[in-house]
């Protein structure tokens, strides 16, 4: 079957198989910033925005993205530069494999909630696993991001 | 004055990472067309003989290119353990074999044009198994009627030293004794403790799974791009397993999404390289999460017995440690991990008169164990430190006081580690930690209300810095024809920031800016040999080579400059990209020098070379303090605050060092409280995904306080030791001590779940 979607504002018409998940399609189309971590919606690495809402693309059938607007890390470079830069200033970008998913969900959080408190941040981002940092450095960066963008 | 060492400089690969442009193995493979997909059919049985494999139907699946079985692979055994040759792990694995030894063992390699074709074909392969009895418990493995390996594997360590006896399922044994006769010391002691512990298999769970992308180059050589910690060891073992010359394999490390030791074992590369060798085509094998969780490697589960003898005023005089380690089906990192159980736990105590370590590592029909941050030291530390904390309880002595009476100090030689300790600030670390956790307020515990208690516990730990007498790294640094520097080195940065701190060291020695250095990293064709990133070696071993290479180049620059400037070289030094003379104000820019020196006869590209391998493995030290909250009704326990004070020698990059500590502490908390690889009765791993395998999440983590008390390690680059592994060791025993303060009895098995703590609160042991 065929679907039509925009990815970061660019229109794509692409053939898919019914069992393809959105992650398969975005990665195949070259948006490899989106990472595959678990395939069971537990790690948050594959987070992208569909019509501005964060979803886990490993378990989101590609067909559902038909006629929708998908945003990946490649499409939020301005925000990623600020937030990612702050992660780097803390040394908490580390292996970087969870970074795109974390950036996407944090950007979605800010758009949705504005400037949440620590507990809300931890809760909102609980599904974004990281095995390198122990989360503390990421939290320092995210809090600074909310501060500097106020 | 230092400009770069000691600075919290962002990682050199940050820009790529935060923009999503950083390329990991699968991202690279996706950039090429006509890359074959490789999938592996795996055994559903813990132990079975393959009677027949019918691939005829599967081969007819559209898109299938080839299917390989045990009939097709070379009959050459190898080890997946990435270790310096001669590897102290038995060569006990074939690419495919007619015997499968654990649930998940590889049965067939399916090669297809698309992943879906490969998956469809896999379902059509018919395998007839003769199911055999399996060894599933480490305690019954020795002399079990079932032998996991029914032949004599080659082992570079002779049985007289390593103790291998496959006929008894023993991969290796270690027996060491230090000091006086233990029985004599026991007789002279006032208190003797005998405690037993069990530690679980823990999954490394790096976010990027295992994967290889492989292709044939123009010279008919196999190129492997691999998510690995050990490129040079891949080159050696893959060429061995394929039966081809060493020089026909090239290994390149791209960005790697974490390893924690898992990727010190070579997993996917054998299969991918085999497919490229057979088909001549590019292919990729990227494991999914369930394969990574159930068919790769984990931390060794162990049983440990500690006998501790002390005087009534708290002098620990005797420590006898015994351990039996569950290797699983293949012997990767079996013997070496075992060694660290004793080597990194006993030498912390320096009033000992007798110490011993007796241990076995056994084959079972479970997933192979491998390397995981801490590498046996973590298990030994849990057992010894928990026992020392129990001693404090029995003596009615503050565990901090007990530690301060017994621990090793700078300048000492310890009984169980026969080397001089040249750097150690552990005593000061303990004093500082005591203050930051508010010990006096919470020790032994503080009741908040009828159902909530806060309590504190602590422990100490050590590790090593590289492998003494074995790890050797070489680094080259070239002055380019335009006056900048290109450094060729093979640290295997898997996210820790090794690439960055090594360039900081280079900039410091070369007296230049970081942006004036380009690094070519970890490509077996281009960069000099380095064992890889493991054994806490990056900063200390590779760093030692970086410093020497840069010093060598500076000497060469000064020699050339002396001629150009007509000054004695003793009067010349390098600062800010210029050679300067101490006698007058004369300077010569290094750019000018470089341009001149790469044109004309007798001129050359100046290149510094440096190597470093150390006769010692200087231990970093640390202390961990846990403040925990226990729900008395349920046993539910949370770590409210964790204080880690670390002596890693000189801190090269404070931010990156701090993240290492925070990340390690959280992995240690997971190990302490909930992470656990669980098996079904038939030997299948039930925790092969992140739904069943409980990793620490953001909401689990309270406050983590990290400080460094620097010491100066004279053998290390700029006085540095290691940081990567030690940081996982303290949480298990520090948390256990805090539990013991409340329940009156320590927990003797990991993870220390709410259920076990609940029963301890009821005065019972599970």
């Amino acid at each position: 079957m065929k679907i039509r979607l925009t990815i970061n504002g660019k229109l794509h018409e692409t053939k898919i198989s019914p069992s393809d998940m959105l992650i398969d399609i975005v990665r195949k189309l070259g948006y490899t910033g989106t990472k595959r971590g678990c395939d069971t919606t537990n790690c948050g690495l594959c987070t992208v925005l569909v019509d501005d809402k964060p979803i886990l693309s490993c378990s989101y059938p590609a067909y559902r993205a038909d006629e929708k607007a998908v945003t990946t890390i490649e499409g939020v470079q301005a925000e990623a530069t600020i937030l990612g830069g702050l992660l780097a200033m803390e040394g908490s970008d580390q292996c970087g494999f969870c970074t795109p998913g974390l950036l996407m969900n944090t950007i979605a959080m800010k758009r949705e909630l504005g400037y949440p408190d620590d507990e809300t941040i931890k809760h909102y981002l609980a599904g974004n696993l990281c095995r390198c940092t122990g989360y503390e450095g990421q939290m320092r960066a995210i809090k600074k991001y909310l501060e500097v963008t106020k | 004055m230092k400009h770069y060492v000691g600075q919290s400089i962002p990682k050199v690969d940050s820009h790529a990472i935060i923009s999503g442009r950083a390329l990991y193995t699968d991202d690279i493979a996706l950039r090429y067309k006509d890359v074959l997909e490789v999938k592996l059919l795996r055994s559903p049985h813990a132990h079975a003989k393959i009677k027949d494999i019918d691939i005829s139907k599967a081969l007819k699946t559209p898109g299938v290119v080839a299917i390989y079985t045990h009939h097709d692979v070379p009959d050459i055994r190898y080890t997946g353990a990435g270790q310096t040759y001669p590897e102290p792990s038995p060569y006990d694995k074939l690419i495919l074999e007619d015997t499968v030894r654990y649930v998940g063992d590889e049965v067939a390699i399916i090669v297809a044009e698309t992943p879906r074709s490969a998956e469809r074909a896999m379902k059509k392969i018919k395998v007839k198994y003769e199911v055999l009895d399996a060894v599933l418990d480490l305690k019954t493995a020795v002399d079990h009627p079932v032998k996991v390996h029914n032949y004599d594997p080659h082992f570079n360590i002779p049985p007289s030293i390593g103790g291998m006896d496959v006929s008894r399922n023993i991969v290796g044994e270690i027996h060491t004794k230090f000091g006086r006769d233990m029985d004599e010391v026991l007789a002279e002691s006032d208190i003797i403790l005998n405690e037993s512990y069990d530690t679980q298999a823990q999954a490394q769970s790096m976010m990027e799974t295992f994967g290889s992308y492989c292709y044939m180059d123009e010279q008919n050589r196999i190129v492997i791009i691999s998510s690995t910690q050990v490129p040079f060891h891949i080159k050696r073992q893959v060429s061995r397993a394929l039966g081809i010359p060493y020089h026909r394999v090239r290994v390149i490390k791209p960005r790697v999404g974490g390893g924690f030791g898992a990727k010190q074992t070579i997993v996917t590369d054998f299969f991918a390289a085999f497919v490229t060798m057979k088909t001549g085509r590019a292919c990729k094998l990227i494991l999914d999460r369930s394969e990574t969780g159930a068919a790769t490697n984990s931390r060794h589960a162990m049983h440990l017995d500690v006998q501790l003898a002390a005087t009534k005023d708290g002098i620990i005089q005797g420590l006898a440690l015994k351990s039996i380690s569950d290797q699983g089906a293949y012997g990767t990192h079996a013997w070496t991990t075992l060694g660290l159980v004793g080597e990194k736990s006993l030498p912390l105590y320096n009033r000992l008169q007798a110490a011993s370590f007796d241990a076995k590592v056994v084959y079972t029909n479970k997933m192979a164990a491998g390397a995981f941050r801490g590498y046996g030291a973590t298990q030994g530390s849990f057992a010894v430190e928990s026992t020392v904390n129990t001693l404090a309880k029995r003596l009615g002595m503050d565990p901090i006081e007990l530690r301060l009476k017994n621990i090793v100090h700078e300048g000492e030689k310890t009984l169980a580690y026969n080397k001089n300790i040249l750097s150690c600030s552990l005593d000061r670390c303990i004093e500082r930690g005591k203050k930051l956790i508010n010990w006096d307020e919470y020790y032994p515990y503080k009741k908040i209300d009828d159902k909530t208690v806060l309590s504190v516990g602590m422990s100490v730990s050590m590790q090593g810095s590289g492998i003494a007498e074995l790890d050797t790294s070489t680094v080259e640094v070239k002055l380019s024809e335009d006056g900048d520097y290109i450094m060729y080195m093979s640290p295997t940065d898997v996210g820790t920031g090794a690439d960055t701190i090594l360039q900081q060291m280079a900039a410091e020695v070369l007296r230049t800016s970081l942006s004036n250095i380009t690094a070519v990293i970890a490509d077996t064709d281009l960069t000099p040999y380095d064992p890889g990133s493991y054994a806490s070696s990056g900063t200390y071993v590779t760093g030692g080579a970086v410093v020497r290479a840069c010093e060598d180049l500076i000497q060469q620059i000064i020699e050339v400059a002396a001629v150009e400037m007509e000054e004695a070289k003793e009067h010349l030094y390098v600062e800010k990209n210029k050679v300067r003379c101490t006698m007058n104000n004369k300077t010569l820019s290094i750019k000018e020098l470089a341009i001149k020196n790469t044109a004309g006869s007798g001129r050359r590209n100046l290149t510094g070379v440096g190597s470093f391998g150390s006769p010692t493995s200087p231990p970093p030290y640390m202390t961990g303090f846990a403040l925990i909250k226990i729900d008395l009704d349920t046993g539910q326990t949370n770590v409210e605050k964790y204080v880690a004070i670390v002596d890693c020698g000189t801190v090269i990059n404070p931010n990156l060092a701090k993240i290492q500590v925070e990340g390690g502490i959280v992995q240690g908390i997971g190990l302490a409280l909930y992470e656990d690889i669980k098996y079904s009765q038939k030997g299948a791993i039930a925790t092969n995904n992140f739904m069943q395998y409980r990793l620490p999440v953001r909401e689990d983590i309270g406050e983590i306080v990290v400080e460094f008390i620097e010491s100066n390690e004279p053998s290390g680059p700029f006085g540095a030791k290691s940081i990567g592994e030690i940081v996982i060791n303290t949480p298990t025993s520090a948390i256990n001590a805090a539990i013991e303060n409340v329940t009156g009895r320590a927990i003797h098995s990991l993870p220390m779940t709410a259920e076990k703590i609940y029963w301890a609160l009821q005065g019972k042991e599970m």
Side-chain angles (χ1 to χ4, degrees):
Chain A
M1 62 180 78
K2 248 188 170 182
I3 59 167
R4 219 166 69 117
L5 72 172
T6 66
I7 302 179
N8 305 329
K10 187 178 170 194
L11 183 70
H12 291 274
E13 277 188 71
T14 184
K15 260 170 88 173
I16 63 162
S17 108
S19 55
D20 279 338
M21 293 296 159
L22 183 57
I23 189 172
D24 301 319
I25 302 307
V26 294
R27 285 183 58 79
K28 206 187 289 177
L29 290 171
Y31 304 96
T32 52
T34 305
K35 303 300 182 203
R36 186 188 299 277
C38 72
D39 285 323
T40 52
T41 69
N42 296 100
C43 76
L45 264 62
C46 64
T47 306
V48 300
L49 308 183
V50 173
D51 289 347
D52 292 328
K53 288 205 172 60
I55 60 100
L56 295 166
S57 63
C58 75
S59 303
Y60 186 95
Y63 184 72
R64 281 179 63 189
D66 189 30
E67 298 297 331
K68 292 203 164 88
V70 175
T71 311
T72 68
I73 183 77
E74 290 86 354
V76 290
Q77 289 290 298
E79 285 155 296
T81 303
I82 302 170
L83 174 53
L86 290 163
L87 281 171
M89 292 298 283
E90 295 292 335
S92 60
D93 44 346
Q94 289 291 294
C95 87
F97 211 67
C98 76
T99 305
L102 177 72
L103 293 177
M104 293 309 290
N105 212 20
T106 306
I107 290 165
M109 176 184 76
K110 184 171 174 265
R111 289 179 185 174
E112 187 181 331
L113 303 179
Y115 304 92
D117 62 20
D118 288 10
E119 286 313 301
T120 312
I121 297 171
K122 282 188 175 186
H123 187 64
Y124 196 100
L125 301 175
N128 290 90
L129 296 183
C130 167
R131 192 59 158 167
C132 294
T133 64
Y135 304 111
E136 296 281 286
Q138 292 183 345
M139 274 301 282
R140 290 192 288 274
I142 290 163
K143 282 159 71 173
K144 274 184 196 158
Y145 173 65
L146 296 178
E147 250 172 64
V148 300
T149 53
K150 236 176 197 169
Chain B
M1 208 196 110
K2 295 197 191 85
H3 293 92
Y4 284 100
V5 166
Q7 300 298 313
S8 288
I9 291 163
K11 268 154 38 80
V12 291
D13 49 356
S14 283
H15 288 291
I17 283 174
I18 64 172
S19 60
R21 281 186 295 105
L23 295 181
Y24 301 77
T25 301
D26 189 41
D27 305 333
I28 295 169
L30 274 169
R31 276 163 172 70
Y32 294 94
K33 276 186 178 167
D34 299 326
V35 176
L36 293 172
E37 288 279 344
V38 181
K39 302 268 178 198
L40 302 171
L41 175 66
R42 298 178 179 281
S43 167
H45 304 295
H47 195 194
K49 192 103 185 153
I50 295 170
K51 287 303 195 193
D52 185 56
I53 306 186
D54 180 1
I55 58 171
S56 54
K57 268 197 177 158
L59 273 174
K60 287 179 192 144
T61 312
V64 166
V65 172
I67 295 173
Y68 302 108
T69 70
H70 62 89
H71 298 294
D72 304 308
V73 300
D75 185 21
I76 305 169
R77 290 191 186 267
Y78 58 85
T79 176
Q83 299 174 299
T84 299
Y85 183 83
E87 302 85 356
S89 293
Y91 295 177
D92 58 6
K93 184 100 170 65
L94 292 171
I95 294 175
L96 297 171
E97 197 174 344
D98 62 353
T99 302
V100 284
R101 297 188 175 83
Y102 75 101
V103 177
D105 213 347
E106 298 86 7
V107 172
I109 304 169
I110 300 108
V111 189
E113 299 289 351
T114 69
R116 304 249 179 274
S117 298
E119 281 156 15
R120 270 183 215 121
M122 193 189 299
K123 287 181 187 147
K124 294 180 194 159
I125 299 176
K126 298 266 180 290
V127 188
K128 273 190 201 143
Y129 294 99
E130 179 194 342
V131 179
L132 306 170
D133 287 340
V135 185
L136 294 173
D137 180 359
L138 85 157
K139 288 173 189 163
T140 60
V142 176
D143 295 328
H144 195 285
V146 174
K147 290 170 190 50
V148 178
H149 289 267
N150 249 325
Y151 62 95
D152 245 346
H154 173 78
F155 193 9
N156 289 314
I157 310 290
S160 58
I161 298 171
M164 177 180 240
D165 187 350
V166 280
S167 71
R168 302 181 62 202
N169 288 328
I170 296 172
V171 193
E173 290 195 37
I174 293 173
H175 302 280
T176 49
K177 263 179 86 157
F178 307 94
R180 294 172 56 202
D181 181 64
M182 184 64 75
D183 289 336
E184 274 176 41
V185 172
L186 292 175
E188 293 165 14
S189 297
D190 302 312
I191 179 166
I192 296 167
L193 298 182
N194 285 290
E195 304 288 324
S196 294
Y197 304 91
D198 290 286
T199 66
Q200 80 279 43
Q202 181 187 23
Q204 295 92 341
S205 307
M206 60 282 156
M207 287 295 122
E208 186 200 16
T209 61
F210 288 86
S212 312
Y213 164 57
C214 214
Y215 61 91
M216 204 73 105
D217 73 7
E218 298 86 342
Q219 300 177 67
N220 224 24
R221 296 163 74 240
I222 293 168
V223 183
I224 307 170
I225 292 172
S226 179
S227 182
T228 183
Q229 297 173 229
V230 288
F232 283 90
H233 300 329
I234 292 179
K235 177 164 168 149
R236 190 176 59 256
Q237 282 296 339
V238 166
S239 60
R240 174 188 167 82
L242 299 186
I244 60 175
Y246 183 72
H247 67 262
R248 281 206 51 213
V249 179
R250 173 185 182 185
V251 182
I252 301 168
K253 181 207 76 95
R255 296 323 311 152
V256 173
F260 311 111
K263 293 171 185 173
Q264 197 198 339
T265 295
I266 307 159
V267 175
T268 47
D269 308 293
F270 298 107
F271 305 102
F274 177 73
V275 168
T276 291
M277 182 177 82
K278 294 292 267 190
T279 62
R281 289 183 58 184
C283 74
K284 71 171 182 183
L285 170 57
I286 311 289
L287 299 193
D288 67 19
R289 181 57 59 185
S290 66
E291 291 174 294
T292 296
T296 59
N297 66 81
S298 71
R299 185 185 296 287
H300 291 76
M302 290 188 192
H303 175 80
L304 303 114
D305 298 305
V306 186
Q307 184 172 57
L308 182 153
T311 63
K312 60 180 181 299
D313 53 350
I315 301 301
I316 301 170
Q317 306 190 119
L319 260 177
L321 179 59
K322 289 184 184 166
S323 133
I324 179 158
S325 172
D326 190 344
Q327 181 53 43
Y330 297 100
T332 43
H333 304 280
W335 198 65
T336 38
T337 310
L338 195 66
L340 263 62
V341 175
E343 272 171 45
K344 308 296 181 196
S345 58
L346 303 175
L348 275 164
Y349 294 100
N350 213 17
R351 308 291 291 272
L352 289 174
Q353 298 186 32
S356 65
F357 177 56
D358 293 280
K360 277 188 187 67
V361 53
V362 297
Y363 279 125
T364 58
N365 291 111
K366 292 156 97 175
M367 178 171 80
F372 189 157
R373 191 181 216 165
Y375 203 82
T378 313
Q379 294 93 317
S381 169
F382 171 63
V384 170
E385 290 302 304
S386 290
T387 308
V388 171
N389 282 324
T390 297
L391 173 69
K393 274 258 140 338
R394 298 281 169 82
L395 293 171
M397 186 182 281
D398 187 315
I400 294 175
E401 190 193 337
L402 181 60
R403 290 316 190 300
L404 291 173
K405 277 188 173 186
N406 288 282
I407 55 162
V408 62
H409 293 86
E410 193 165 289
E412 293 178 357
K413 187 179 267 191
T414 76
L415 181 71
Y417 178 69
N418 189 27
K419 300 257 166 77
N420 287 315
I421 301 301
L422 303 177
S423 58
C424 176
S425 66
L426 183 57
D427 48 355
R428 284 178 287 150
C429 291
I430 293 171
E431 300 283 4
R432 182 68 181 151
K434 178 182 179 178
K435 201 171 161 201
L436 291 181
I437 200 81
N438 290 324
W439 183 263
D440 293 334
E441 188 184 341
Y442 296 109
Y443 179 76
Y445 61 83
K446 187 176 178 179
K447 209 153 184 194
I448 301 303
D449 54 44
D450 279 354
K451 56 172 292 199
T452 319
V453 173
L454 290 170
S455 76
V456 282
M458 60 84 67
S459 64
V460 294
S461 183
M462 63 178 280
Q463 195 82 31
S465 303
I467 307 175
E469 305 286 7
L470 203 61
D471 281 350
T472 301
S473 171
T474 297
V475 170
E476 296 162 4
V477 57
K478 183 169 80 180
L479 177 64
S480 90
E481 54 290 351
D482 196 52
D484 59 305
Y485 300 96
I486 308 176
M487 187 153 69
Y488 300 83
M489 58 177 184
S490 307
T492 314
D493 189 337
V494 291
T496 57
D499 291 351
T500 306
I501 61 131
L502 293 168
Q503 290 180 61
Q504 285 178 249
M505 291 185 199
E508 196 68 61
V509 179
L510 296 169
R511 311 307 291 166
T512 190
S513 62
L514 209 52
S515 60
N516 207 32
I517 300 173
T518 306
V520 180
I521 300 170
D523 175 333
T524 60
D525 267 14
L526 304 178
T527 57
Y529 177 78
D530 187 298
S533 128
Y534 60 88
S536 296
S537 62
T539 304
Y540 181 74
V541 179
T542 312
V546 165
V547 167
R548 283 160 180 78
C550 294
E551 284 171 350
D552 182 34
L553 180 57
I554 291 282
Q555 279 314 308
Q556 295 182 39
I557 289 171
I558 284 177
E559 273 167 33
V560 173
V563 177
E564 291 288 333
M565 295 167 78
E566 298 178 335
E567 295 286 345
K569 61 183 182 185
E570 294 74 39
H571 298 150
L572 300 180
Y573 68 100
V574 169
E575 188 62 53
K576 289 189 181 156
N577 305 319
K578 286 193 170 77
V579 182
R580 294 163 190 271
C581 181
T582 52
M583 305 302 286
N584 48 43
N585 286 331
K586 257 203 227 168
T587 63
L588 171 66
S589 89
I590 290 178
K591 181 175 172 125
E592 199 185 323
L593 179 148
I595 291 169
K596 274 191 179 165
N597 211 51
T598 47
S601 85
R603 302 285 188 156
R604 66 190 178 98
N605 230 180
L606 298 181
T607 303
V609 182
S611 293
F612 183 61
S614 179
T616 62
S617 175
Y621 293 95
M622 73 172 288
T623 179
F625 286 76
L627 171 66
I628 65 169
K629 185 164 86 182
I630 302 183
D631 182 321
L632 296 173
D633 290 343
T634 64
Q636 176 63 43
T637 296
N638 294 312
V639 178
E640 298 291 297
K641 182 173 176 178
Y642 203 93
V643 172
I645 315 292
V646 185
D647 162 19
C648 58
T650 301
V651 179
I652 305 293
N653 183 319
N655 268 357
L656 293 177
K658 185 178 183 182
I659 294 280
Q660 285 298 301
V661 184
E662 290 171 342
I665 295 299
V666 169
Q667 284 183 353
I669 291 172
L671 178 69
L673 295 179
Y674 33 77
E675 288 187 42
D676 193 4
I677 294 179
K678 291 193 174 115
Y679 282 83
S680 73
Q681 280 192 332
K682 290 190 165 174
I685 287 182
T687 49
N688 64 354
N689 59 54
F690 289 156
M691 232 179 273
Q692 260 84 27
Y693 189 82
R694 168 80 158 87
L695 284 177
V697 300
R698 214 169 289 273
E699 289 172 298
D700 293 327
I701 304 309
E703 187 189 359
I704 300 177
V705 179
V706 176
E707 281 191 13
F708 297 95
I709 297 185
E710 293 191 337
S711 62
N712 180 46
E713 172 52 43
S715 67
F718 299 99
K721 300 188 280 188
S722 83
I723 184 83
E725 291 185 275
I726 185 175
V727 290
I728 199 169
N729 294 340
T730 58
T732 52
S733 49
I735 292 169
N736 198 11
I739 294 168
E740 188 178 14
N741 286 339
V742 177
T743 62
R745 54 176 66 211
I747 306 290
H748 287 84
S749 66
L750 296 177
M752 301 178 283
T753 57
E755 194 182 358
K756 289 176 193 169
I757 297 165
Y758 171 83
W759 284 113
L761 285 164
Q762 310 309 311
K764 293 172 191 146
E765 191 150 339
M766 255 181 83

